[in-house]
Amino acid sequence: GQQLNQSPQSMFIQEGEDVSMNCTSSSIFNTWLWYKQDPGEGPVLLIALYKAGELTSNGRLTAQFGITRKDSFLNISASIPSDVGIYFCAGHPGSQGNLIFGKGTKLSVKP
Amino acid sequence: DTGVSQDPRHKITKRGQNVTFRCDPISEHNRLYWYRQTLGQGPEFLTYFQNEAQLEKSRLLSDRFSAERPKGSFSTLEIQRTEQGDSAMYLCASSPPRRTLNTEAFFGQGTRLTVV
């Protein structure tokens, strides 16, 4: 089946540093979504990408839809303590209703 | 806009018992999804409704699982004869009508099931 490889699995950074994480797939996706999940809560949508090459920002977050349509990255600039959480990429293959998720990147921020 | 609402937030049940969870999607969202998430993993797709029609079911959805959306609004997920392996977070998500390929899914806070 289709799988998403998300890296890194975890990151420990200092407050103020920039963060970069990415997601790759073995097959083409028509949509890439990035979510953040806090412990015991549901994922919260951060950014949605719909076109190959698209670069979209949401405050300190920037995400890009890879030209090959098989990858995406998420950057967080000037990290703050509330950025702590697990970040998931998710892809929509287009032919089905469901989203396929990566295993997440756990972000820890030292004040 | 109240977002996707799930009830209960937590459920502890004895093995072998039946449990039912409810999801109220964002109003006017005709698409509704159920996902399951275990510790350290991303959400895994279980099933998908468009209005009242159940259009997709994952292989993860065993015969003990059944989902309904009778009037195309709220949905229920029932697990019969629960097993310890059913312990997980059950997430519901909804999406607005698809006019293009845009498919943003908005998640509820989940129902944490613990089978003892």
Side-chain angles (χ1 to χ4, degrees), chain B residues 61-66 78-83 85-86:
Chain B
L61 210 68
S62 75
D63 291 345
R64 296 184 297 106
F65 287 69
S66 63
E78 180 183 16
I79 308 174
Q80 296 181 327
R81 304 180 303 282
T82 51
E83 302 173 356
D86 296 332

Side-chain angles (χ1 to χ4, degrees), chain A residues 1 30-31 33 35 37 40-45 48 50 88 92 94-104, chain B residues 9 33 35 37 40-45 48 56 59 89 91 98 101-110 112:
Chain A
N30 292 322
T31 303
L33 305 175
Y35 289 87
Q37 187 174 30
E41 301 292 329
V44 174
L45 182 62
Y50 302 108
F88 289 99
H92 189 276
S95 60
Q96 304 164 15
N98 59 301
L99 286 171
I100 297 171
F101 280 80
K103 292 189 176 183
Chain B
R9 290 290 310 277
Y33 312 82
Y35 287 80
Q37 186 178 25
Q41 302 294 320
E44 295 174 293
F45 170 74
Y48 157 56
E56 285 182 58
R59 281 173 288 180
M89 173 81 90
L91 294 162
R98 180 186 296 180
L101 287 175
N102 297 357
T103 52
E104 296 177 1
F106 298 89
F107 283 82
Q109 292 178 303
R112 168 73 66 188

Side-chain angles (χ1 to χ4, degrees), chain A residues 75-87:
Chain A
N75 287 344
I76 305 173
S77 62
S79 58
I80 58 178
S82 62
D83 290 334
V84 165
I86 301 178
Y87 292 80

